[in-house]
Amino acid sequence: MTVNENDSRVSPGHRGTTRRQGNVIGGDRPSTIRDVAERAGVSVATVSRTLAGNYPVSAATRDRVMDAVRALHYVVNVHAKALSGRVAGPVALVLRDITGPSLAHVAAGVEQEASARGRLSLVCATHGDAERENELVRLMREQHAAAVVLVGGAVQDDAYFLRMADYARGLDAVGSRLVLVGRPALPGDLPVTVVDYDNRGGAFQAADHLFAQGHRRVLFLGGDPLLSTAVQRREGHLHALRAHDVPYTEDLDVPGDYTRASGYRRTRDAVRAGLDFTAVVAGTDTVALGVLAALREADLDVPGDVSLVGFDDVPFAADLSPSLTSVRVPYEDLGRTAVRMAVERTEGDGGDAHVVLSTQLVIRRSVRRPR
């Protein structure tokens, strides 16, 4: 196929009338595709085809067009291209906090998969503010993001389900996709993708390992009892108690925040209160850091006096002293799977709408049989 590059050509004699200051024409407006066409002496259609790279043009024409683009500092209107469907929309990752080690690995997985599919990835933090989450989702909808990935536990109340349903419908209306990672699935037939991991099974493995070693007094440092991830991990722990015929002791079930400070404080208070326990299940590896600090402060050895199991298996877990037995969550795989499933859905390739990735107990040196 050949192209008539002279069709609707602007007279080359007009090129000298263009004045440029910085990246604007005439000092008062951004350069446009028509300015590029005028300077290169070709049609607007030829400029568009050259920049898109999806239509044959001669090498000489391409050189003239690109020289004009550089001379005028012309920038393609990406938003207009997105609206016309000629550019792949970005993938937006919305999470509570970008500093947590586990969430950072989810972000890494999202970025890797988005990059492999030729898409930009955006990372946004809500800092626990529901209104900010609303605003970020609205903004991503306006930007025609390919997917909006919400990460982390949530309070499972009516307000949550209504808000997520509104997100799902609003994003679907513009050809985008809501993806929930580690969040409760939504009831009904809604346009949403859910990528979860086995919290209950992971917590069961942690406690089961301790009970199999002979421990019976296990201090469980769970999370916020309103958050879905904390609820699921506690359910897994209680299941292990029942499986080993270990009676439930309320004093050994201590909820709190998933922070180092909270792990330290809860363990310190348990020791000071004379609470009898030979092992600790920490809700996260970050909580386990606080547990280690409090036990060492009390001159208690891990695992000689108290065994310890964490949850997440973030990279530092293997470098602690002793190395930490922990439940491995495939955080990077969660991010990659979220992008893959969302993009395949928006591109009409179908596929599953709900998957649950497995967790795995990694046994190291922080557990031994009780004395």
Side-chain angles (χ1 to χ4, degrees):
M1 180 183 297
T2 61
V3 178
N4 182 1
E5 295 164 356
N6 293 319
D7 184 42
S8 302
R9 178 178 293 181
V10 179
S11 170
H14 292 160
R15 297 180 203 165
T17 63
T18 300
R19 294 186 297 109
R20 178 174 61 84
Q21 295 183 9
N23 62 342
V24 297
I25 298 296
D28 59 0
R29 66 177 177 83
S31 54
T32 68
I33 193 171
R34 293 187 179 278
D35 298 321
V36 174
E38 181 180 357
R39 188 178 185 93
V42 298
S43 68
V44 169
T46 297
V47 174
S48 179
R49 292 163 182 164
T50 301
L51 296 177
N54 58 4
Y55 211 81
V57 296
S58 69
T61 298
R62 182 176 300 278
D63 288 344
R64 290 208 309 276
V65 170
M66 297 313 297
D67 285 345
V69 167
R70 286 188 290 269
L72 297 175
H73 297 274
Y74 174 68
V75 177
V76 179
N77 187 336
V78 176
H79 183 62
K81 289 181 71 177
L83 291 175
S84 67
R86 298 197 305 271
V87 67
V91 174
L93 175 66
V94 180
L95 37 74
R96 181 186 184 93
D97 181 14
I98 62 176
T99 62
S102 57
L103 297 183
H105 285 277
V106 176
V110 167
E111 193 281 328
Q112 291 164 11
E113 188 67 22
S115 178
R117 293 175 177 268
R119 295 173 185 267
L120 180 69
S121 57
L122 307 173
V123 180
C124 314
T126 66
H127 309 293
D129 185 346
E131 285 304 313
R132 178 167 173 77
E133 181 180 273
N134 291 340
E135 181 64 20
L136 288 170
V137 173
R138 182 193 63 78
L139 178 61
M140 291 303 103
R141 185 176 68 244
E142 292 175 354
Q143 295 297 320
H144 288 250
V148 176
V149 183
L150 303 184
V151 182
V155 177
Q156 301 182 73
D157 56 13
D158 290 342
Y160 165 78
F161 291 116
L162 289 173
R163 192 169 76 253
M164 293 303 108
D166 184 58
Y167 290 170
R169 295 189 184 100
L171 290 167
D172 184 65
V174 297
S176 184
R177 187 74 176 180
L178 175 66
V179 187
L180 303 178
V181 175
R183 283 196 174 197
L186 305 183
D189 186 19
L190 288 166
V192 58
T193 293
V194 178
V195 181
D196 208 349
Y197 58 97
D198 190 5
N199 266 302
R200 294 180 184 86
F204 177 89
Q205 290 178 71
D208 176 73
H209 179 58
L210 291 171
F211 296 144
Q213 293 292 314
H215 294 276
R216 288 297 180 268
R217 301 281 298 179
V218 176
L219 178 63
F220 178 68
L221 301 184
D224 184 337
L226 295 178
L227 292 180
S228 56
T229 51
V231 170
Q232 292 164 4
R233 292 180 190 184
R234 183 172 182 271
E235 289 174 349
H237 183 78
L238 295 177
H239 182 197
L241 286 173
R242 293 190 296 270
H244 287 268
D245 292 323
V246 176
Y248 172 75
T249 303
E250 185 176 0
D251 289 346
L252 294 175
D253 185 358
V254 186
D257 297 329
Y258 282 155
T259 63
R260 182 188 184 280
S262 178
Y264 169 82
R265 182 174 58 255
R266 285 183 279 171
T267 306
R268 179 203 61 194
D269 292 348
V271 172
R272 288 180 177 177
L275 190 62
D276 177 26
F277 61 94
T278 63
V280 179
V281 171
T284 67
D285 290 346
T286 302
V287 171
L289 288 177
V291 174
L292 278 171
L295 292 175
R296 286 170 178 163
E297 187 178 272
D299 292 326
L300 293 173
D301 177 68
V302 176
D305 297 308
V306 179
S307 291
L308 175 62
V309 179
F311 204 111
D312 287 337
D313 193 38
V314 295
F316 67 70
D319 298 324
L320 295 175
S321 181
S323 56
L324 181 65
T325 293
S326 183
V327 176
R328 177 172 294 168
V329 179
Y331 285 114
E332 287 193 15
D333 284 345
L334 286 169
R336 285 191 289 266
T337 303
V339 175
R340 175 180 57 78
M341 292 178 61
V343 170
E344 288 176 357
R345 280 270 167 173
T346 57
E347 292 178 347
D349 294 336
D352 294 332
H354 189 169
V355 299
V356 179
L357 303 187
S358 62
T359 51
Q360 176 187 9
L361 182 69
V362 180
I363 298 175
R364 298 194 179 95
R365 298 180 177 276
S366 62
V367 174
R368 71 169 55 165
R369 296 186 65 82
R371 291 180 177 176

